[in-house]
Amino acid sequence: MSELNKEVLDLVWGRPSSGGVSASIFRRWTQGFVFSENEHTALEQFEGGPCAVIAPVQAFFLKNVLFNRESSNWRQMTEEEQKTELCSTLNEILESACASPTTGFCLVTWAKGQSPHASVHTKSQTESQSQTQDMPAPESSQPPQEQQPNALAAKDLDFERFHSVLHKRTVMSVSELKEEVLSLYHAWRGCCGVLLFLYSILMIYTLLSCKNIRNEIQDTMEPLIDPVHGHGSQSLVNLLVTGHAVSNVWDGDRECSGMKLHGIHKQASVGFLTLMESLRYCKVGSFLKSPKFPIWILGSETHLSVFFTKDMCLVGPESPTEQARRVFQSFDPEDNGFIPESLLEDVMKALDLVSEPEYVNLVKSKLDPESLGIILLGPFLLEFFPDQDSGIPDSLPVYHYNGLKQSNHNERVEYVEGTALVLGFEDPMVRTDDTPVKRCLQTKWPYIELLWSTDRSPSLN
């Protein structure tokens, strides 16, 4: 492989000190993009790890299906429609990773005659079929469910052999890219399709120089795929969601001990929320929390799933209460839920509230009657925005996706339907569950309540 390819491999897998990349971790990443037999618009994940690619692709796929497709039944699709929508989604993500269309696009696929046959199950079959011509597989007349197990038929394709049979295709225009992505549909769906797509993104992103991505990743020694557990890094998720492989989820760049730490620089099309924020490990900025479309990737300690709705009201313009909460929290970087009373005047000025010293002192005495020296967020919002309407309906239908069979009810990858109540304040009369999904969503909507149609709440893991 060329030096550029070697550097891309180091970015993805790191530089193992001994023994190379773990065979079990590599095997987990060798699946393709496969649709669930029970949910026509849901991708299935076979083992832990590749959710870092599959969940963002699922989120963009849902965006296109829900808001760009002229069909009332978004959960039903023919195989041909799946092909069209999946390739359109992959193309969109690939385009977003390109610094400049004039530099062209690079796709990674199988070398001629080296593509594993979709029905490979044994080593002897692999060896005989790898000698066949690399011809596009014909459109199958079989229903998708009969082909699904075949997408993870890579038991005998180890790390070294896989990387010895790859080929780069370069195209110079957006229209050519669209045609090539469509022509590679069977490669995306088949063995190692997720890795082929990941490498294609990185080759496009680093077409000029791997320094592009090295400059954005905070810890350049951290690979995109964890060598111990096989999970994708935040940089990898951010690359697929925003087109930039930054390591952080806050808005903009920050200075820390003289070092610039890169964050998110514009509103994303789909969002990201994480349980880690509820545990105070990080703080997601508004560019990811408030995306253009009401679809959020949800992160737990080990897995990614997707929460979404068809109702655009969840991503409408920021209400005065939401603005006040955001501004207040900007003066509370540690997310304590309060600020020193000395900062109250600055908060009021930032919100264009009356901020004359006499009035500020009056507000202080009212919000801090015990003279504790702090101003709590809740009383502050009730004082200045007591009856604000968020513009969100009393209740709205929502859905949750988890690509792992074992994380779904009856081990069937299907959307879990529910009803969300997005309240502006805590109501003890409306108290539902206290699950990881809810705690994750509360980082965006502090007083959200969820009623699911299933006996058990959906799983983040």
Side-chain angles (χ1 to χ4, degrees):
M1 304 186 79
S2 70
E3 283 303 307
L4 178 61
N5 288 29
K6 177 65 168 60
E7 196 164 358
V8 167
L9 286 187
D10 289 343
L11 281 169
V12 176
W13 304 101
R15 298 174 182 175
S17 55
S18 63
V21 175
S22 163
S24 63
I25 287 178
F26 174 69
R27 180 180 56 80
R28 281 193 262 151
W29 279 82
T30 56
Q31 76 164 84
F33 292 103
V34 179
F35 288 97
S36 166
E37 60 185 79
N38 303 300
E39 195 75 75
H40 294 173
T41 57
L43 295 169
E44 187 171 323
Q45 179 183 339
F46 300 142
E47 295 186 73
C51 59
V53 173
I54 293 174
V57 169
Q58 176 70 53
F60 277 90
F61 185 87
L62 285 167
K63 172 185 74 73
N64 293 332
V65 168
L66 291 172
F67 301 104
N68 295 345
R69 188 167 170 256
E70 297 179 1
S71 174
S72 57
N73 193 347
W74 59 273
R75 296 176 72 166
Q76 294 296 322
M77 269 193 172
T78 65
E79 189 174 346
E80 187 61 30
E81 288 172 327
Q82 288 176 334
K83 174 182 178 179
T84 300
E85 293 296 341
L86 177 63
C87 289
S88 175
T89 298
L90 299 182
N91 186 81
E92 178 183 359
I93 297 173
L94 289 168
E95 276 191 56
S96 74
C98 183
S100 170
T102 58
T103 62
F105 303 89
C106 184
L107 297 175
V108 178
T109 185
W110 302 103
K112 188 173 182 180
Q114 299 298 325
S115 173
H117 194 275
S119 60
V120 173
H121 290 290
T122 67
K123 187 172 182 179
S124 60
Q125 285 177 307
T126 305
E127 290 172 348
S128 62
Q129 287 157 354
S130 67
Q131 304 304 315
T132 61
Q133 285 294 97
D134 183 24
M135 297 295 289
E139 283 292 330
S140 173
S141 59
Q142 290 181 299
Q145 60 264 32
E146 293 181 25
Q147 299 180 29
Q148 309 240 332
N150 301 336
L152 192 59
K155 290 183 290 185
D156 303 303
L157 190 67
D158 63 22
F159 185 86
E160 296 297 332
R161 183 174 180 190
F162 169 68
H163 291 96
S164 71
V165 294
L166 297 183
H167 171 68
K168 292 187 296 182
R169 293 190 191 180
T170 302
V171 296
M172 296 308 299
S173 69
V174 172
S175 59
E176 279 185 87
L177 175 67
K178 187 174 182 179
E179 291 175 7
E180 284 293 322
V181 169
L182 194 61
S183 73
L184 291 171
Y185 174 65
H186 293 284
W188 308 131
R189 281 213 31 159
C191 167
C192 300
V194 169
L195 279 178
L196 295 178
F197 178 65
L198 170 57
Y199 286 174
S200 296
I201 290 175
L202 292 172
M203 292 300 292
I204 289 173
Y205 195 58
T206 62
L207 205 55
L208 294 178
S209 171
C210 275
K211 291 179 181 176
N212 295 345
I213 195 168
R214 292 278 185 204
N215 288 339
E216 290 186 337
I217 296 177
Q218 191 170 309
D219 182 358
T220 56
M221 298 304 293
E222 179 194 10
L224 297 179
I225 296 176
D226 182 84
V228 177
H229 304 290
H231 304 138
S233 69
Q234 188 65 51
S235 294
L236 175 53
V237 176
N238 287 348
L239 175 59
L240 273 82
V241 172
T242 70
H244 293 278
V246 297
S247 303
N248 305 296
V249 291
W250 57 60
D251 290 346
D253 298 336
R254 295 183 182 181
E255 290 283 342
C256 182
S257 302
M259 181 171 59
K260 180 179 282 190
L261 304 179
H262 298 286
I264 309 300
H265 280 267
K266 65 178 182 179
Q267 183 186 31
S269 292
V270 301
F272 176 79
L273 303 172
T274 174
L275 188 64
M276 296 299 98
E277 181 170 350
S278 71
L279 300 173
R280 306 283 182 92
Y281 284 111
C282 67
K283 184 79 172 176
V284 180
S286 60
F287 287 145
L288 287 176
K289 268 189 182 172
S290 302
K292 296 176 184 177
F293 295 91
I295 301 166
W296 289 266
I297 298 165
L298 305 184
S300 72
E301 303 93 332
T302 60
H303 188 48
L304 296 172
S305 55
V306 180
F307 173 82
F308 64 101
T309 180
K310 295 188 290 181
D311 201 324
M312 288 293 290
C313 71
L314 279 191
V315 290
E318 193 176 46
S319 71
T321 302
E322 290 169 332
Q323 181 193 19
R325 185 187 303 278
R326 176 176 55 78
V327 170
F328 188 100
Q329 290 176 334
S330 71
F331 288 87
D332 175 25
E334 295 184 1
D335 200 23
N336 294 314
F338 62 84
I339 58 171
E341 66 171 25
S342 60
L343 294 178
L344 178 61
E345 183 177 347
D346 294 331
V347 172
M348 294 172 69
K349 285 180 178 178
L351 290 169
D352 290 328
L353 300 172
V354 175
S355 55
E356 298 298 324
E358 296 82 0
Y359 180 64
V360 172
N361 288 330
L362 181 65
V363 172
K364 283 181 183 178
S365 62
K366 186 173 183 179
L367 298 182
D368 182 22
E370 298 179 3
S371 299
L372 299 175
I374 61 173
I375 305 297
L376 296 171
L377 173 61
F380 174 83
L381 294 177
L382 286 174
E383 173 67 23
F384 292 104
F385 306 94
D387 301 310
Q388 285 292 334
D389 182 5
S390 68
I392 299 174
D394 291 339
S395 65
L396 66 157
V398 294
Y399 303 85
H400 182 263
Y401 155 87
N402 190 321
L404 288 168
K405 269 187 177 181
Q406 60 267 35
S407 299
N408 284 264
H409 186 58
N410 293 330
E411 296 196 349
R412 293 157 60 100
V413 176
E414 296 176 304
Y415 302 126
V416 180
E417 300 179 45
T419 300
L421 311 173
V422 183
L423 308 174
F425 54 89
E426 188 169 15
D427 185 347
M429 302 298 292
V430 184
R431 189 75 56 80
T432 55
D433 55 8
D434 182 27
T435 60
V437 168
K438 180 178 172 182
R439 292 198 296 274
C440 187
L441 296 174
Q442 283 176 325
T443 63
K444 164 71 175 171
W445 303 280
Y447 304 118
I448 192 172
E449 298 294 341
L450 300 160
L451 301 169
W452 299 104
S453 60
T454 51
D455 294 337
R456 66 177 187 180
S457 297
S459 173
L460 271 189
N461 293 308

